[in-house]
């Protein structure tokens, strides 16, 4: 199996006005003190795609969306299609993030349709899965994630068009992280349900202090970073923890 380069992706969520977005993108470029040993991706809010895409042009840092509608166009007020993201310069789109699943009632079936839409537009889908705290406490974490994977991944998934992000819901934005043992066990389980060679990112309060341990695990092929990606130095420090290519 080909060795995959790790990916560190920043999910800026609903943060930043144009001036902030451009400044953060420029700072991400400026803090790189060497060639990164991983791929870098930033996913700003939709209003900043053009600004951030412009600031990142030629940097090798990829641009991604945070969600898309399943349809290519139409009467869907407030939504954005995968084609629109691609047109804005995106190569990736985050889908099924827990803030979408829980805040917008997105089901596995809806996420699946969105992934089909992303592929239609030529985007790489970053599929987020993860259990809630009560599901983990009930010993159901692995079953929950397996069910999400089975329900969300369409036929036609490959290691080139799909990346999975394991993000325990209780770890997102809370400062809590799963233990290294739990991360390793979940990633090994996810590995059995996805195409050979597909990357599995870990997400959930990844920061400069815990990144080396997490990114050093054999089945962790990168990180999806929320809060810490809003600070360019922290984002770069996390990226620097990807010293070795993913196995
Ligand atoms: C996320 O939004 O995907 C995320 C992991 O956020 P945070 O790093 O802030 O927990």
């Amino acid at each position: 199996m080909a060795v995959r380069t790790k990916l560190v992706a920043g999910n800026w969520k609903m943060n930043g006005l144009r001036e902030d977005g451009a400044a953060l993108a420029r700072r991400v470029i400026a803090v790189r003190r060497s060639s990164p040993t991983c791929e870098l991706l930033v996913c700003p809010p939709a209003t900043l795609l053009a600004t951030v895409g412009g600031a990142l042009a030629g940097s090798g840092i990829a641009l991604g969306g945070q969600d898309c509608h399943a349809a290519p166009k139409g009467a869907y007020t407030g939504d954005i299609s995968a084609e629109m993201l691609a047109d804005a310069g995106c190569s990736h789109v985050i889908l099924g993030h827990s803030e979408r699943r829980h805040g917008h009632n997105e089901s596995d079936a809806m996420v699946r349709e969105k992934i089909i839409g992303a592929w239609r537009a030529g985007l790489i889908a970053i599929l987020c899965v993860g259990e809630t705290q009560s599901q983990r406490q009930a010993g159901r974490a692995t079953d929950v994630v397996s069910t999400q994977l089975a329900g969300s991944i369409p036929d036609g998934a490959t290691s080139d068009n799909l990346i999975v992000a394991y993000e325990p819901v209780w770890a997102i934005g809370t400062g809590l992280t799963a233990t290294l043992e739990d991360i390793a066990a979940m990633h090994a389980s996810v590995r059995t349900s996805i195409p050979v060679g597909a990357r599995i990112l870990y997400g959930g309060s990844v920061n400069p202090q815990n990144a080396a341990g997490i990114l050093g695990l054999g089945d962790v092929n990168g990180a999806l970073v929320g809060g810490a990606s809003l600070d360019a130095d922290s984002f770069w420090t996390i990226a620097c923890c990807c010293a070795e290519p993913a196995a």
Side-chain angles (χ1 to χ4, degrees):
M1 182 181 65
V3 173
R4 300 300 304 242
T5 306
K6 289 183 183 169
L7 170 69
V8 174
N11 176 10
W12 292 5
K13 309 196 186 193
M14 196 174 74
N15 291 295
L17 304 180
R18 272 184 302 166
E19 207 173 307
D20 314 314
L24 179 54
R26 283 196 298 268
R27 181 93 189 114
V28 169
I29 295 168
V31 296
R32 293 187 303 172
R33 283 175 285 277
S34 54
S35 290
T37 54
C38 61
E39 291 174 24
L40 294 174
L41 166 70
V42 297
C43 302
T47 52
L48 298 187
L49 286 172
T51 303
V52 172
L56 294 179
S59 71
I61 300 174
L63 185 71
Q66 298 178 10
D67 180 47
C68 71
H69 196 280
K73 63 179 181 176
Y76 304 104
T77 303
D79 283 313
I80 295 177
S81 71
E83 281 76 1
M84 291 169 175
L85 292 178
D87 187 49
C90 293
S91 51
H92 296 67
V93 59
I94 298 169
L95 293 171
H97 191 282
S98 74
E99 288 155 11
R100 302 290 315 175
R101 289 180 184 267
H102 296 279
H104 296 262
N105 293 320
E106 290 191 4
S107 64
D108 290 334
M110 290 165 70
V111 174
R112 186 178 182 281
E113 292 307 307
K114 290 181 177 209
I115 293 177
I116 292 170
W119 292 348
R120 183 189 59 234
L123 300 180
I124 298 168
I126 302 179
L127 165 63
C128 300
V129 292
E131 80 286 357
T132 63
Q133 193 146 40
S134 59
Q135 289 166 335
R136 175 157 285 275
Q137 283 163 350
R140 295 180 47 227
T142 306
D143 283 351
V144 167
V145 168
S146 299
T147 301
Q148 289 174 332
L149 291 169
S152 305
I153 300 179
D155 292 342
T158 71
S159 60
D160 289 327
N161 65 19
L162 182 75
I163 296 168
V164 173
Y166 167 55
E167 300 204 300
V169 177
W170 48 271
I172 296 177
T174 59
L176 303 172
T177 45
T179 64
L180 296 183
E181 292 73 22
D182 286 343
I183 296 171
M186 186 62 85
H187 280 230
S189 169
V190 170
R191 180 70 64 206
T192 63
S193 305
I194 63 173
V196 174
R199 285 179 285 190
I200 311 171
L201 315 183
Y202 174 78
S205 298
V206 175
N207 61 42
Q209 288 71 45
N210 61 27
I214 295 168
L215 288 162
L217 294 171
D219 244 335
V220 174
N221 310 124
L224 181 52
V225 185
S229 71
L230 296 174
D231 178 85
D233 292 281
S234 296
F235 190 57
W236 173 247
T237 303
I238 293 167
C240 289
C241 295
C242 297
E244 300 297 327

